[in-house]
Amino acid sequence: MTTTTSRMAPVLVSVYDRCQHLEKCIEALKNNPEAKDTPLYIVSDGWQHEGHRNAIEDVRKYIGTITGFKEVNTRFREKNWGMKTSAMDAITWVLEEHDRLIRMEDDIVCSPHYLE
């Protein structure tokens, strides 16, 4: 395990099927001057029901367009792990590379001072 210490804590966002919420969350984060120096991690759980598949695919397409951060790291699950298991694994994933993190859900719209 290699842990890096940087000035900016990475941001981990958990997503499911709400693209409009995620877009607002990401745009709010990008309004922070520190975003360009902040690693962004996004974990997308697999669909629980076939009816969720298209919405999750739309979320993943949007994730592929995200810029404005130091880096964008993604983990797209093919199966649904459930919120708790997926979240715990995502936290472990980020902490394998960093000594801290900021965890957010996709429906959080932060202030332009959030990353200070």
Side-chain angles (χ1 to χ4, degrees), residues 14-77:
S14 299
V15 302
Y16 187 60
D17 66 350
R18 303 181 303 180
C19 197
Q20 289 180 334
H21 288 279
L22 178 61
E23 288 174 7
K24 290 176 184 175
C25 175
I26 295 301
E27 289 308 310
L29 280 168
K30 286 170 56 171
N31 284 330
N32 282 258
E34 298 84 2
K36 68 183 181 321
D37 298 317
T38 301
L40 177 65
Y41 288 77
I42 303 176
V43 62
S44 171
D45 207 3
W47 48 91
Q48 189 173 19
H49 305 285
E50 187 62 32
H52 299 169
R53 182 181 197 149
N54 288 340
I56 290 170
E57 288 175 351
D58 288 344
V59 166
R60 292 176 178 186
K61 285 178 194 169
Y62 168 71
I63 291 168
T65 70
I66 295 172
T67 61
F69 295 89
K70 181 177 181 180
E71 60 191 42
V72 179
N73 303 283
T74 60
R75 184 166 280 180
F76 296 164
R77 303 197 193 290

